[in-house]
Amino acid sequence: VQLQASGGGLVQAGGSLRLSCAASGRTFSFYAMGWFRQAPAKEREFVAAISGSGGSTYYADSVKGRFTISRDNAKNTVYLQMNSLKAEDTAVYYCAAHSGFWTLRTTADYWGQGTLVTVSS
């Protein structure tokens, strides 16, 4: 599985941004999909995950209520809608695919390249 993330950019605090991650291959719906982020000088952290069918999701506490993960299996794409952005959301965001839904919080089988999100305060 190859993953290509896009949609990053510069946004003011309080604004919104939507990230996309396009996946190759015909087995996209088999994988749980997730988003992670890594801020400067910090370790990569989990952000959100969605099951293969799209019926289940879970989030990091820091983004709960502000971010929404979704997927379109017909388009082999997963999205991360980010609202009410804060300066501390500034990071490189990575999409990931994993065969396990709950274990995606800590590991992944496949990683995409990152897309930079910068939130100005």
Side-chain angles (χ1 to χ4, degrees), residues 1-3 18-35 48-59 68-81 95-102 104 110:
V1 176
Q2 291 185 322
L3 305 173
R18 189 176 81 156
L19 305 183
S20 299
C21 176
S24 65
R26 296 178 293 176
T27 58
F28 179 69
S29 62
F30 172 80
Y31 291 96
M33 298 295 297
W35 288 94
I50 187 167
S51 62
S53 67
S56 298
T57 59
Y58 62 96
Y59 299 87
T68 302
I69 188 171
S70 62
R71 67 189 294 161
D72 185 339
N73 286 346
K75 295 182 178 180
N76 280 14
T77 302
V78 62
Y79 305 97
L80 184 68
Q81 177 67 42
C95 59
H98 192 52
S99 52
F101 175 51
W102 294 108
L104 183 51
Y110 302 97

Side-chain angles (χ1 to χ4, degrees), residues 1 13 15 23 36-38 42 45 53 65 71 89 91 96 99 117:
V1 176
F36 292 74
R37 67 186 183 186
Q38 186 167 18
K42 291 188 176 181
E45 64 174 0
S53 67
R71 67 189 294 161
D89 294 319
S99 52
V117 173

Side-chain angles (χ1 to χ4, degrees), residues 95-115:
C95 59
H98 192 52
S99 52
F101 175 51
W102 294 108
T103 51
L104 183 51
R105 176 182 287 275
T106 57
T107 189
D109 296 318
Y110 302 97
W111 294 93
Q113 94 296 350
T115 186

